[in-house]
Amino acid sequence: SSGRAGANAQRFLLDALRDLDGSLREMGSRLFVVRGCPEEVLPHLFHAWGTTRLTFEVDSEPLARRRDAAVAELAARHGVEVIREVSHTLYDTERVLALNDGKAPLTYNRLQSLLASLGPPEKPAPALTWEHLQGCHTPCQVSHDADYGVPTLEELCQDPAEVGPRLYPGGETAALARLDTLMERTAWVCGFKKPETEPTSLSPSTTVLSPYLRFGCLSVRTFWWRLDEVYRGHSQPPVSLHGQLLWREFFYTAGAGIPNFDRMVGNPVCLQVDWDDNPQHLRAWREGRTGYPFIDAIMTQLRAEGWIHHLARHAVACFLTRGDLWVSWEEGLKVFEELLLDADWSLNAGNWLWLSGSAFFHRYFHVYSPVAFGKKTDRDGAYIRKYLPVLKDFPAEYIYEPWKAPRAVQERAGCLVGTHYPQPIVEHRAASERNLGRMK
Ligand code: FAD
């Protein structure tokens, strides 16, 4: 599933594997990273290692399901017992689907009422300790690092020069430390209301636990129950932190129950739209060269740091699709898949369906302005100045619309629009009005 992941996400994963190896070493064991296609290498290892049991986490992504089914069949053929556990989601999505006559619930309220009938989510299993591994023996050769060590970025064909600052180091250790620090801020946790958090704040205004949840460094059940311990007179779903985890659950259930969830064609809940094929516009969006500083700053943060705020994702996703460029959400999804540290098959597709007005969300006439939206929380454009230093000396009056600045102002700012920073690639008002008509 990390096939399209870029250098930042791959580094996150390798950090996480090294951290896991470190924890296992402390318990007298090791991590074995096996190279190759699971269907080919596992039967070989069953034989070489005399394997009797194989256990893995249930994964609802279609590619993973096919792989896991093939592996389970091979295991059975080799007399290996297979143990599959649900632990990536709060609930067993198959059970939720079954409760809803085999269909994915299409609204958050519907999901909530189904979950209410199941009671609270399961508690996380206790963490593995040294005691658990008493009596276990991990045969390790001197060649372990060469044979089964954690690979390097180069081995994964990634250019180490391409990674950005390591703001969110991968691994369970970092995840639990981040969770601990956040849970100490009791008032913030209890008062958390997602729509009130700010896409333009220079340090994240939400938890940034998403990459840790995505790679299994943090169990969603651990997160849920830690919140439960902290909660007193707290905010409620959908805007609370529990509410955020229920959004995650909502899109996981949808992804598991709706065919072709990550595509328009063959996806029964997806509006069929004649999106434009416009590689120039797509590239400008991807590379942060649309001429709209708020959009370009967000895409720059995404490329460099691998994480952007939820409402920033709203702004750029709306801009690419129904708002301005009329480019298919599937193209945006692929770019996010490469650049996000938290790129997650179900959540990425579900949210792109939503933002493009293709499913779940029907107020398509509510379009974000690439100028006014950022200004609401950042009148002076500090966020733009941080990520687009070329614009840093523009007066606040023009920072969101530098093309409107008189020539003398552009000269004083040391940045001529059209030379040092692009002209807007579309005129927002005209484009969004035309698109509204098409959407109707
Ligand atoms: P917090 O607000 O602190 O929320 C805590 C956790 O709740 C998150 O880590 C996440 O697991 C879950 N969550 C929060 N919001 C959502 C949501 N809208 N949908 C599903 N789960 C949610 N999130 C991903 O993890 N992976 C993706 O690939 C992804 N793609 C997205 C694409 C688009 C176009 C949009 C608009 C949103 C996408 N999101 C995705 C959802 C959301 O933006 C991120 O989960 C969130 O910003 C992560 O930051 P956080 O951990 O600080 O969130």
Side-chain angles (χ1 to χ4, degrees):
S1 69
S2 32
R4 265 197 285 250
N8 278 333
Q10 304 245 16
R11 175 180 64 185
F12 186 96
L13 171 62
L14 298 183
D15 282 350
L17 294 179
R18 266 190 300 277
D19 181 62
L20 176 58
D21 189 33
S23 305
L24 287 167
R25 272 184 209 230
E26 279 169 26
M27 295 179 224
S29 186
R30 286 299 297 269
L31 176 70
F32 289 63
V33 179
V34 177
R35 277 106 173 126
C37 161
E39 292 92 320
E40 283 161 23
V41 293
L42 284 174
H44 175 70
L45 291 177
F46 294 154
H47 188 71
W49 290 350
T51 309
T52 54
R53 267 187 191 164
L54 173 70
T55 178
F56 52 85
E57 181 180 65
V58 169
D59 186 334
S60 55
E61 185 178 334
L63 262 180
R65 273 201 257 184
R66 283 199 288 280
R67 176 202 60 209
D68 294 348
V71 165
E73 199 192 304
L74 287 166
R77 231 186 286 153
H78 286 77
V80 175
E81 180 193 359
V82 174
I83 302 167
R84 275 180 269 209
E85 297 284 357
V86 173
S87 53
H88 196 62
T89 43
L90 290 169
Y91 294 85
D92 179 348
T93 46
E94 291 304 321
R95 234 185 120 195
V96 179
L97 292 173
L99 266 183
N100 199 42
D101 298 326
K103 292 194 290 279
L106 296 180
T107 65
Y108 190 87
N109 283 347
R110 178 73 193 145
L111 178 78
Q112 275 185 300
S113 65
L114 292 168
L115 298 187
S117 71
L118 291 172
E122 246 180 78
K123 295 250 160 111
L128 196 68
T129 63
W130 189 78
E131 284 76 33
H132 288 112
L133 289 188
Q134 289 302 291
C136 296
H137 169 62
T138 309
C140 253
Q141 313 288 331
V142 279
S143 60
H144 183 89
D145 285 333
D147 298 340
Y148 300 114
V150 175
T152 59
L153 271 179
E154 287 93 331
E155 257 186 88
L156 301 180
C157 303
Q158 292 291 339
D159 181 358
E162 270 195 16
V163 294
R166 201 187 235 108
L167 298 181
Y168 317 107
E172 182 183 32
T173 308
L176 295 178
R178 192 169 188 93
L179 182 67
D180 284 344
T181 308
L182 288 162
M183 292 305 113
E184 278 165 19
R185 297 166 60 195
T186 319
W188 182 79
V189 168
C190 295
F192 187 95
K193 292 198 179 117
K194 186 65 166 269
E196 290 171 16
T197 62
E198 299 186 356
T200 49
S201 76
L202 299 186
S203 54
S205 59
T206 55
T207 66
V208 196
L209 286 170
S210 51
Y212 300 98
L213 291 166
R214 184 262 175 259
F215 281 105
C217 305
L218 175 66
S219 151
V220 66
R221 295 177 186 167
T222 300
F223 189 5
W224 177 277
W225 286 105
R226 281 291 295 276
L227 287 168
D228 203 69
E229 282 167 24
V230 171
Y231 273 169
R232 303 247 181 308
H234 50 91
S235 55
Q236 294 294 326
V239 299
S240 62
L241 277 168
H242 266 176
Q244 302 313 298
L245 298 182
L246 294 174
W247 279 117
R248 181 177 181 273
E249 209 67 14
F250 176 74
F251 289 120
Y252 261 96
T253 314
I258 296 169
N260 299 310
F261 189 60
D262 62 343
R263 261 162 276 174
M264 177 178 83
V265 175
N267 178 340
V269 303
C270 181
L271 199 67
Q272 304 295 304
V273 175
D274 62 335
W275 301 109
D276 289 341
D277 180 27
N278 191 330
Q280 285 87 1
H281 278 177
L282 175 61
R283 205 168 322 121
W285 176 81
R286 189 197 134 85
E287 292 170 4
R289 292 188 287 101
T290 66
Y292 284 95
F294 184 52
I295 300 298
D296 294 343
I298 295 169
M299 294 307 286
T300 305
Q301 183 188 14
L302 172 62
R303 294 170 71 79
E305 301 177 0
W307 182 89
I308 49 177
H309 186 276
H310 182 59
L311 293 174
R313 300 181 200 211
H314 273 226
V316 296
C318 181
F319 187 86
L320 179 71
T321 58
R322 66 190 167 85
D324 294 82
L325 302 184
W326 202 257
V327 168
S328 165
W329 60 273
E330 290 181 52
E331 297 301 328
L333 174 147
K334 286 180 213 157
V335 171
F336 270 26
E337 204 164 60
E338 181 195 341
L339 298 178
L340 278 173
L341 293 177
D342 61 32
D344 176 301
W345 187 84
S346 306
L347 306 191
N348 201 15
N351 278 285
W352 274 101
L353 281 165
W354 184 295
L355 261 299
S356 63
S358 298
F360 308 118
F361 174 80
H362 304 290
R363 289 166 56 219
Y364 62 88
F365 42 85
H366 176 92
V367 169
Y368 294 101
S369 155
V371 172
F373 187 46
K375 260 190 208 171
K376 271 205 303 197
T377 50
D378 184 15
R379 185 142 282 285
D380 289 339
Y383 176 78
I384 292 171
R385 293 174 210 279
K386 175 173 175 182
Y387 289 102
L388 301 178
V390 66
L391 297 177
K392 73 178 187 338
D393 293 325
F394 266 89
E397 190 186 352
Y398 296 113
I399 187 92
Y400 285 87
E401 299 169 285
W403 65 92
K404 286 195 178 163
R407 174 91 185 182
V409 172
Q410 298 187 26
E411 275 169 6
R412 252 193 324 265
C415 171
L416 301 181
V417 175
T419 306
H420 306 111
Y421 181 72
Q423 292 280 357
I425 56 170
V426 288
E427 209 263 291
H428 171 66
R429 190 183 295 272
S432 59
E433 274 170 14
R434 191 188 62 228
N435 293 346
L436 263 180
R438 292 169 100 175
M439 207 62 187
K440 252 184 211 147

